């Protein structure tokens, strides 16, 4: 009964109280997050679009770290709603304005990275690159290695889409260099390996590409979240393609018959690779 739930949450949020206690703040935080989940579950784009910028009014009482956490979680939730890229971009821009107004640099930076990623997904590559370049200047001044890794990686993806492979390689190397001096989350390492593998494929060095894909696949496989499952499937497809390009059909069959492929990763893409390998092996154009 989503409408009833929504009304109760909104009443709780707007309840007037003379003093704001810690328990009241926690209650508001829970309400904001639950409302975000509720709108995401019911795919209500318009409500989410209005709700997130409006929710920052309540967050002014929260500690800075909590504000950042709640706001980022709400924007992540928006990602679950199909066909909502334009709305996500709008919400991100509004949230960045809020961060600037409140002089919250770290929040502004992490939201800007998110916005650049959204531009990339929307294929607005020029907007994405403009934002990336301004972010890189700031992060180099601050010597913020974790953010540099993310931004350079995104830059490599954008240049790869624009078919500027020299710059894509440069960005990928810069991202690796920054990553080598800090501890990187598994997901980021997997993304880095995936990008390196793709760029090696562009150079027709399928053997090196395969080893990168394999590393990337292992990491995505162990993450075992919903998002990483799709990515692991994609990397598995690239692994099979690399083996086909190297004319190692027996290896393709080994990967296809492996326990993890049969039990976990069954998709049309993998079936297609299996069919391609079979056709190639029997030299059949048909």
């Amino acid at each position: 009964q989503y409408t009833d739930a929504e009304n109760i949450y909104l009443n709780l949020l707007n309840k007037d109280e003379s003093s704001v206690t810690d328990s009241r703040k926690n209650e508001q935080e829970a309400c904001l997050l639950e409302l975000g989940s509720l709108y995401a579950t019911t795919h209500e784009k318009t409500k989410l679009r209005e709700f997130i910028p409006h929710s920052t009014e309540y967050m002014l009482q929260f500690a800075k770290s909590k504000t950042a956490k709640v706001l980022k979680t709400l924007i992540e939730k928006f990602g679950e709603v199909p066909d909502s890229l334009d709305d996500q971009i709008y919400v991100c821009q509004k949230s960045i304005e809020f961060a600037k107004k409140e002089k919250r640099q770290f929040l502004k930076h992490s939201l800007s990275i998110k916005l650049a990623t959204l531009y990339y997904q929307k294929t607005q590559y020029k907007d994405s690159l403009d934002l990336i370049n301004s972010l890189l200047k700031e992060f180099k001044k601050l010597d913020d290695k974790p953010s540099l890794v993310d931004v350079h990686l995104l830059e490599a993806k954008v240049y790869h889409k624009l078919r500027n492979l020299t710059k894509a390689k440069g960005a990928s190397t810069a991202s690796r260099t920054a990553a080598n001096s800090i501890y990187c989350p598994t997901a980021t390492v997997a993304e880095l390996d995936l990008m390196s593998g793709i760029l090696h494929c562009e150079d027709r060095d399928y053997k090196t590409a395969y080893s990168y894909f394999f590393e990337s696949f292992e990491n995505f496989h162990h993450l075992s979240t919903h998002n990483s499952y799709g990515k692991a499937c994609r990397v598995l497809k690239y692994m099979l393609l690399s083996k086909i390009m190297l004319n190692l059909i027996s290896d393709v069959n080994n990967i296809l018959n492996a326990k993890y492929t049969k039990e976990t990763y069954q998709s049309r893409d993998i079936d297609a690779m299996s069919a391609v390998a079979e056709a190639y092996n029997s030299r059949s154009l048909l």
Side-chain angles (χ1 to χ4, degrees), residues 91-108:
V91 164
C92 247
Q93 287 165 338
K94 284 284 180 207
S95 306
I96 289 171
E97 282 169 25
F98 162 76
K100 276 183 189 163
K101 198 173 79 185
E102 294 297 317
K103 297 192 173 61
R104 300 191 181 178
Q105 281 301 91
F106 283 113
L107 180 60
K108 187 190 107 183

Side-chain angles (χ1 to χ4, degrees), residues 13 28-36 51 55 58-59 62 74:
L13 263 184
Q28 283 185 323
E29 181 194 353
C31 283
L32 290 173
L33 291 173
E34 285 298 328
L35 268 169
F51 169 67
S55 68
Y58 301 104
M59 292 182 203
F62 295 173
L74 287 174

Side-chain angles (χ1 to χ4, degrees), residues 49-98:
R49 184 188 162 116
E50 287 164 13
F51 169 67
I52 295 178
H54 176 60
S55 68
T56 50
E57 294 170 16
Y58 301 104
M59 292 182 203
L60 289 172
Q61 307 150 11
F62 295 173
K64 285 187 179 180
S65 56
K66 191 167 271 189
T67 303
K69 185 183 137 215
V70 175
L71 198 52
K72 281 186 206 161
T73 313
L74 287 174
I75 292 174
E76 286 299 314
K77 290 255 194 297
F78 213 153
E80 298 166 17
V81 183
D83 306 326
S84 62
L85 267 180
D86 290 329
D87 300 309
Q88 286 183 59
I89 288 172
Y90 167 80
V91 164
C92 247
Q93 287 165 338
K94 284 284 180 207
S95 306
I96 289 171
E97 282 169 25
F98 162 76

Side-chain angles (χ1 to χ4, degrees), residues 16-41:
D16 273 340
E17 283 190 17
S18 49
S19 62
V20 179
T21 56
D22 280 350
S23 61
R24 172 76 182 130
K25 284 182 196 170
N26 292 340
E27 187 179 273
Q28 283 185 323
E29 181 194 353
C31 283
L32 290 173
L33 291 173
E34 285 298 328
L35 268 169
S37 299
L38 190 143
Y39 291 143
T41 314

Side-chain angles (χ1 to χ4, degrees), residues 12-206:
L12 274 172
L13 263 184
N14 299 322
K15 195 164 64 175
D16 273 340
E17 283 190 17
S18 49
S19 62
V20 179
T21 56
D22 280 350
S23 61
R24 172 76 182 130
K25 284 182 196 170
N26 292 340
E27 187 179 273
Q28 283 185 323
E29 181 194 353
C31 283
L32 290 173
L33 291 173
E34 285 298 328
L35 268 169
S37 299
L38 190 143
Y39 291 143
T41 314
T42 50
H43 293 181
E44 302 213 26
K45 282 194 295 196
T46 350
K47 284 191 175 174
L48 254 181
R49 184 188 162 116
E50 287 164 13
F51 169 67
I52 295 178
H54 176 60
S55 68
T56 50
E57 294 170 16
Y58 301 104
M59 292 182 203
L60 289 172
Q61 307 150 11
F62 295 173
K64 285 187 179 180
S65 56
K66 191 167 271 189
T67 303
K69 185 183 137 215
V70 175
L71 198 52
K72 281 186 206 161
T73 313
L74 287 174
I75 292 174
E76 286 299 314
K77 290 255 194 297
F78 213 153
E80 298 166 17
V81 183
D83 306 326
S84 62
L85 267 180
D86 290 329
D87 300 309
Q88 286 183 59
I89 288 172
Y90 167 80
V91 164
C92 247
Q93 287 165 338
K94 284 284 180 207
S95 306
I96 289 171
E97 282 169 25
F98 162 76
K100 276 183 189 163
K101 198 173 79 185
E102 294 297 317
K103 297 192 173 61
R104 300 191 181 178
Q105 281 301 91
F106 283 113
L107 180 60
K108 187 190 107 183
H109 286 154
S110 59
L111 288 171
S112 300
I113 297 177
K114 176 75 180 162
L115 182 60
T117 313
L118 289 169
Y119 281 146
Y120 160 73
Q121 290 169 350
K122 186 86 177 41
T123 67
Q124 296 177 340
Y125 299 130
K126 185 174 181 314
D127 294 335
S128 188
L129 278 178
D130 291 345
L131 192 50
I132 285 170
N133 291 331
S134 69
L135 281 171
L136 284 175
K137 277 182 201 152
E138 290 195 37
F139 290 142
K140 278 174 186 161
K141 267 188 224 157
L142 295 167
D143 196 29
D144 179 353
K145 290 276 175 22
S147 301
L148 277 172
V149 174
D150 293 340
V151 179
H152 276 307
L153 182 56
L154 182 61
E155 185 188 16
K157 288 180 184 174
V158 175
Y159 277 127
H160 177 250
K161 285 282 188 214
L162 292 169
R163 310 302 299 146
N164 186 337
L165 297 182
T166 323
K167 284 198 168 173
K169 281 179 204 157
S172 174
T173 311
S175 184
R176 273 197 180 280
T177 313
N180 285 338
S181 53
I182 54 165
Y183 167 75
C184 264
T186 316
T188 312
V189 177
E191 288 281 357
L192 273 172
D193 286 334
L194 172 58
M195 197 66 232
S196 300
I198 290 173
L199 291 170
H200 276 288
C201 272
E202 297 282 3
D203 287 343
R204 307 196 167 196
D205 178 0
Y206 301 111

